[in-house]
């Protein structure tokens, strides 16, 4: 698993670095492409060592201890012991949109974060299922590649956003070569975010099924995890997250940024209905019936 994880992480970093270099080449030729390469290397280094702080900062998440959130902390500690993992830090995100994610560079430096909305709508069994899901991401070492994907994709989307405005206002000039640059900038503005989303989807979709299975087995409550997924999905439809970075959508247990359903091709998660159906089968294998 360790070698495969590093291969996947390296491939992802190479693809996203290549996209950044391509954007740089369109803007300023080889020199800017090289600067983008240096930027990507520095960004990858920073992301590896400070991934948890970066993501937690995006969501104004606050690390809590056993005295501040005793029930949540006790659930995380109990399930962590069952999973055979080091105790992660626990954080609460000030958002009424129910959701959760895990971040960090490895199991020894991991964080499990939940929103205030999640704590409000889930019962104890459902919360255990969600925490088990996030701990499985930590155990499977999904958190490193997920955080790198979020940070790099976020940078690509931001650059594409700048490219779109430069193209709109004709920032390149008026001659034929500059007109070609404007066209290229428009293409980047359209294609780069799509490429970033597809990379995120490739990273996360299969891992969500595995995390659901692991969460069901760690908590021993696949039915509760299925119920939690249904509640979160319904809540997100009516109250999607307004603040935050859409490049992190794949890190959450359910995509928090969409209201109505979107095409599966561009979804960072498998359909919730498919996840619930799979949990039903896992429950039957465990001798548990809904």
């Amino acid at each position: 698993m360790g070698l495969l994880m590093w291969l996947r992480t390296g491939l992802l970093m190479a693809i996203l670095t290549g996209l950044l270099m391509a954007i740089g080449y369109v803007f300023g030729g080889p020199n800017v492409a090289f600067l983008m390469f240096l930027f990507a290397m520095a960004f990858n280094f920073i992301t590896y060592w400070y991934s948890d702080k970066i993501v937690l900062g995006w969501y104004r998440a606050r690390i809590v201890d056993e005295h501040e959130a005793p029930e949540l902390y006790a659930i995380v500690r109990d399930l962590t012991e069952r999973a055979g993992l080091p105790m992660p830090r626990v954080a609460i995100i000030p958002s009424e949109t129910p959701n959760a994610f895990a971040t960090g560079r490895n199991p020894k430096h991991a964080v499990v974060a939940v929103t205030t909305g999640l704590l409000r709508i889930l019962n104890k069994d459902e919360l255990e299922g969600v925490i088990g899901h996030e701990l499985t991401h930590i155990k499977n070492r999904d958190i490193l590649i997920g955080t790198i994907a979020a940070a790099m994709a976020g940078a690509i989307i931001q650059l594409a956003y700048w490219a779109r405005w430069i193209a709109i206002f004709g920032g390149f000039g008026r001659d034929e070569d500059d007109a070609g640059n404007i066209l290229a900038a428009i293409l980047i503005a359209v294609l780069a975010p799509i490429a970033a989303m597809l990379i995120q989807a490739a990273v996360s979709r299969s891992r969500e099924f595995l995390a659901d299975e692991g969460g069901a087995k760690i908590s021993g409550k696949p039915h509760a995890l299925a119920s939690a997924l249904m509640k979160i999905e319904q809540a997100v439809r009516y109250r999607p997250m307004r603040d935050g970075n859409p490049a992190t959508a794949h890190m959450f247990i359910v995509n928090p940024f969409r209201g109505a359903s979107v095409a599966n091709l561009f979804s960072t998660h498998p359909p919730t209905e498919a996840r619930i159906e799979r949990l039903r089968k896992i429950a039957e294998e465990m001798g548990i019936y809904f």
Side-chain angles (χ1 to χ4, degrees), residues 8 12 15-16 137 142 145-146 148-150 153 157 192-209 246-252 255 262-271:
R8 289 173 63 238
L12 175 67
I15 292 172
L16 295 179
H137 277 311
D142 298 330
I145 192 169
I148 290 176
I157 290 171
I194 293 176
M197 290 179 68
L198 290 175
I199 291 168
Q200 289 177 330
V203 168
S204 64
R205 287 174 70 90
S206 63
R207 308 310 294 178
E208 290 304 312
F209 281 127
T248 63
H250 64 287
M251 297 181 65
F252 286 85
N255 184 346
V262 295
N264 287 339
L265 177 62
F266 298 106
S267 175
T268 56
H269 296 72

Side-chain angles (χ1 to χ4, degrees), residues 116-137:
T116 52
L118 188 81
L119 297 175
R120 182 174 55 80
I121 72 168
L122 298 190
N123 61 39
K124 184 175 182 292
D125 288 347
E126 293 165 343
L127 185 57
E128 287 181 1
V130 169
I131 298 300
H133 173 102
E134 299 306 331
L135 290 176
T136 302
H137 277 311

Side-chain angles (χ1 to χ4, degrees), residues 2 8 21 95-96 100 114 157 159 162 172 176 182 192 208 260 290:
R8 289 173 63 238
M21 292 176 66
S95 171
E96 281 303 305
V114 302
I157 290 171
L159 289 172
W162 293 339
F172 291 109
E176 291 182 2
I182 292 174
E208 290 304 312
F290 283 52

Side-chain angles (χ1 to χ4, degrees), residues 26-167:
V26 169
F27 278 127
N31 291 336
V32 177
F34 180 70
L35 288 176
M36 282 294 180
F37 171 76
L38 296 179
F39 167 77
M41 293 301 100
F43 200 68
N44 287 336
F45 176 82
I46 293 171
T47 300
Y48 177 81
W49 288 104
Y50 301 103
S51 58
D52 54 342
K53 294 181 177 61
I54 292 171
V55 177
L56 294 176
W58 281 340
Y59 291 98
R60 297 176 287 116
R62 184 172 60 88
I63 301 296
V64 297
D65 58 25
E66 188 172 6
H67 300 291
E68 293 178 276
E71 183 176 3
L72 172 63
Y73 200 93
I75 289 173
V76 175
R77 181 174 54 200
D78 178 52
L79 294 179
T80 296
E81 291 175 357
R82 293 191 209 174
L85 290 168
M87 179 66 185
R89 288 179 294 164
V90 179
I92 294 179
I93 302 166
S95 171
E96 281 303 305
T97 302
N99 231 301
F101 66 78
T103 184
R105 65 181 183 270
N106 56 44
K108 291 183 179 180
H109 300 87
V111 182
V112 173
V114 302
T115 65
T116 52
L118 188 81
L119 297 175
R120 182 174 55 80
I121 72 168
L122 298 190
N123 61 39
K124 184 175 182 292
D125 288 347
E126 293 165 343
L127 185 57
E128 287 181 1
V130 169
I131 298 300
H133 173 102
E134 299 306 331
L135 290 176
T136 302
H137 277 311
I138 295 173
K139 190 169 187 176
N140 292 345
R141 296 180 180 266
D142 298 330
I143 53 176
L144 173 61
I145 192 169
T147 304
I148 290 176
M152 294 292 286
I156 290 171
I157 290 171
Q158 184 61 48
L159 289 172
Y161 178 81
W162 293 339
R164 182 182 65 182
W165 284 107
I166 290 173

